[in-house]
Amino acid sequence: QVQLVESGGGTVQPGGSLRLSCAASGSNVDYYAVGWFRQAPGKGREAVSCISSEDGSAYYADSAKGRFTISRDNAKNTVYMQLNTLKPEDTAVYYCAAELLVSTNHCWLGIKPYWGQGTQVTVSS
């Protein structure tokens, strides 16, 4: 079992950047496909970017392509997502998740995914 704790959220102006971190404990994060989801007010939770445990394949939602970058540091047991050129529509609670099914074309929840508590990202002028 793995526990996930997100950090790095905050309030930025449009065009700004943030780096989200997801620190894992209880198990090695390199055992899992991991990723970032987000949920905006009144909307469902959507996959933003995910990375596989096998070959490092990464999935990006269309809204994230070219602006967000996911990475993992297995030595630190941490997953990151760099968010650049942020837009007001990126405002959401961002969640880290593990136990996923990931390819470059999809990021699906596994049988029993693990979730962090979320970190708020607000993009506003």
Side-chain angles (χ1 to χ4, degrees):
Q1 193 168 7
V2 62
Q3 292 80 45
L4 305 170
V5 178
E6 302 97 331
S7 61
T11 299
V12 296
Q13 294 185 343
S17 298
L18 286 172
R19 188 175 81 155
L20 306 183
S21 299
C22 173
S25 61
S27 184
N28 291 333
V29 73
D30 55 344
Y31 293 160
Y32 299 93
V34 294
W36 292 92
F37 291 67
R38 69 185 181 187
Q39 187 165 17
K43 295 188 177 181
R45 194 171 296 189
E46 62 174 351
V48 178
S49 182
C50 307
I51 188 166
S52 75
S53 59
E54 296 176 348
D55 59 6
S57 297
Y59 164 85
Y60 291 95
D62 287 344
S63 59
K65 289 178 181 176
R67 300 189 300 126
F68 298 174
T69 304
I70 192 170
S71 62
R72 60 196 303 162
D73 186 334
N74 293 334
K76 295 184 177 180
N77 224 23
T78 301
V79 180
Y80 303 98
M81 186 165 67
Q82 179 69 37
L83 287 63
N84 295 329
T85 320
L86 283 161
K87 305 175 181 180
E89 51 264 42
D90 295 318
T91 296
V93 178
Y94 284 70
Y95 297 90
C96 180
E99 187 64 23
L100 307 172
L101 302 173
V102 178
S103 78
T104 55
N105 297 315
H106 65 254
C107 175
W108 298 333
L109 298 177
I111 295 174
K112 187 180 178 182
Y114 300 98
W115 293 96
Q117 83 288 351
T119 186
Q120 176 71 46
V121 172
T122 302
V123 185
S124 174
S125 56

